[in-house]
Amino acid sequence: MPKGLSIFAALMLVATCVALPEAWRSARERVPRAVKGLTLAVLVVLAMSAFSAWASGANLSALDNVSRCLLLPWCAWLAWVTRVRVSCLWYGALAGLLVAFVLSIMETWSGAPRAGGEANPIVFANAVLVLLVVAVFARPARTGFSMQLLLALIVALAVVAITLSGSRGALPGLGLVLLMLFVGGAPQHRWRRLAMVSGLFAALFVALWTVPWLSTQFRLDQVHADVSGYAGDQVDQPISARMGLLTVAWGAFRSAPLAGVGVGGFAQRVDDSRYCQQAPRHFCGLEHAHNDLAQWGATMGIGGIAALLLLYGAPLMIAASQVRRLNPDVPVGAAWTAGMLVAVYLISGLTQSMFSHALSASAYVVIVGLLLGCALTLLPAPDRPSKRS
């Protein structure tokens, strides 16, 4: 079992053992096609990753994070069988956001330059973004003043936690969530809301560049020097390091476009790059490309890119199909949340290798799986299980 999931795995096994007898008694063995599709997609991704690891001589630990993808169809099936209510995930997300907010405040008060939950600040910010998506889009379909006030509080908690983390990579995903929150829903006054959110984004953009504390927190005052340093092979700063990693990834892909350098082989390509031929430096300790497309393409070639598209595309297509069939009046519910979560991961993957971090990979497969399973219980027969007698 992959590291960090022992307790969760034990609880999953217990829940599955409890659900199996009920599934048989209620004739629920007819698994929805969506769950079968997720299972097939995950098995293809795992098979390609395992073959790549075998061909490159990597050990089984190279498959640690990708093996977690098995939880995607498993969680979807379990949520469908047990009829988990999406409100349970919503309450959990609210509690998680509150904990993340408190942690970020405590770490900042203790003198930490960037809040990260005693871990990677980038991964912490991505986790907060996941919680924000669930808290915003899995909420009850109410539009009263109390719900609007709660939404404002939810967004404020997430914005503070992400700001204190100093993660620039989470800002595009945060912008997408805010855009859908303001513009989604009833078509009345949509252009007015779009104008309001455009003005808000413009004000935030100006604040990021003009308010000294915000510029320092997000290291925007270092962007010019960072980019300029890349021309002189200075790749130990965040932006120049990512540019250097993209260069290494492109070279790895060109050298083996069909099979890549193998799962677990990217770190060696970094060590062999021209940036690491002189004295040891921080860049040489980086083990992934900090970009989803570059990482999967460099390690598994064209097949890796196809596997990545499958890993994101299959849940997104299922979520979109469920949204069309359910046709909610406002952009809330399990299917909407699953689709938004995939979209946020796609955007975050531009500056981070999402499946190179255990927390990010686990959050994706578990939460998206549960959300899709919750949405399946709302579909008309025969795609949902029959009611209990």
Side-chain angles (χ1 to χ4, degrees):
M1 173 56 61
K3 62 182 183 238
L5 283 180
S6 300
I7 297 178
F8 177 80
L11 294 175
M12 278 286 292
L13 288 173
V14 171
T16 302
C17 292
V18 171
L20 275 174
E22 178 63 21
W24 282 107
R25 284 196 299 269
S26 302
R28 296 181 186 180
E29 65 275 6
R30 187 179 179 184
V31 179
R33 285 175 295 179
V35 176
K36 295 178 181 178
L38 286 176
T39 304
L40 180 60
V42 166
L43 290 178
V44 170
V45 172
L46 285 178
M48 296 177 67
S49 301
F51 177 78
S52 177
W54 171 79
S56 61
N59 55 37
L60 289 177
S61 62
L63 300 176
D64 178 10
N65 290 337
V66 72
S67 65
R68 299 167 188 252
C69 294
L70 288 170
L71 290 168
L72 181 57
W74 187 357
C75 288
W77 174 84
L78 189 59
W80 172 74
V81 168
T82 59
R83 298 190 184 185
V84 173
R85 284 186 273 184
V86 72
S87 60
C88 298
L89 298 179
W90 183 62
Y91 286 121
L94 294 181
L97 273 179
L98 183 58
V99 170
F101 171 79
V102 173
L103 282 176
S104 63
I105 294 294
M106 291 177 61
E107 285 189 311
T108 301
W109 280 349
S110 65
R114 298 176 63 187
E118 299 183 357
N120 188 326
I122 300 174
V123 177
F124 175 77
N126 287 332
V128 173
L129 197 53
V130 169
L131 294 172
L132 175 63
V133 170
V134 178
V136 168
F137 297 102
R139 71 185 190 272
R142 296 197 298 266
T143 57
F145 175 76
S146 59
M147 179 57 67
Q148 293 178 357
L149 188 62
L150 179 58
L151 281 174
L153 178 60
I154 288 170
V155 172
L157 292 177
V159 168
V160 170
I162 291 175
T163 300
L164 295 180
S165 76
S167 175
R168 294 173 295 205
L171 294 180
L174 177 62
L176 177 62
V177 172
L178 294 178
L179 178 64
M180 289 304 302
L181 178 59
F182 278 93
V183 179
Q188 293 84 0
H189 309 300
R190 179 170 290 171
W191 288 106
R192 183 185 303 175
R193 297 198 302 270
L194 182 59
M196 290 176 56
V197 75
S198 298
L200 175 62
F201 285 166
L204 291 175
F205 181 80
V206 171
L208 285 173
W209 286 94
T210 57
V211 178
W213 181 82
L214 285 176
S215 296
T216 302
Q217 183 68 14
F218 286 105
R219 293 151 292 139
L220 298 179
D221 52 346
Q222 305 171 15
V223 169
H224 179 73
D226 197 348
V227 174
S228 300
Y230 174 72
D233 285 350
Q234 300 298 318
V235 291
D236 286 330
Q237 297 301 318
I239 296 178
S240 60
R242 282 170 169 78
M243 295 171 70
L245 289 169
L246 289 177
T247 301
V248 173
W250 175 240
F253 178 78
R254 286 196 305 168
S255 66
L258 295 180
V261 298
V263 174
F266 187 77
Q268 186 60 49
R269 294 302 294 251
V270 173
D271 290 338
D272 295 339
S273 68
R274 72 176 190 268
Y275 307 112
C276 299
Q277 298 304 309
Q278 304 299 324
R281 59 202 307 180
H282 171 73
F283 177 85
C284 304
L286 301 176
E287 299 181 350
H288 54 85
H290 281 72
N291 178 283
D292 266 340
L293 191 62
Q295 177 71 20
W296 289 67
T299 54
M300 293 194 291
I302 295 175
I305 296 175
L308 178 65
L309 294 177
L310 189 61
L311 196 54
Y312 283 141
L316 187 59
M317 290 177 61
I318 293 172
S321 174
Q322 292 172 344
V323 168
R324 285 196 303 267
R325 295 180 67 178
L326 295 172
N327 193 24
D329 296 329
V330 291
V332 297
W336 254 108
T337 310
M340 281 300 302
L341 198 52
V342 176
V344 164
Y345 263 71
L346 282 167
I347 293 177
S348 299
L350 297 174
T351 58
Q352 185 60 271
S353 300
M354 303 302 289
F355 288 90
S356 294
H357 296 281
L359 177 59
S360 300
S362 301
Y364 177 81
V365 296
V366 170
I367 298 179
V368 171
L370 290 173
L371 288 168
L372 292 178
C374 290
L376 286 172
T377 65
L378 303 176
L379 294 176
D383 289 310
R384 65 174 175 84
S386 58
K387 296 182 179 180
R388 290 186 178 90
S389 56

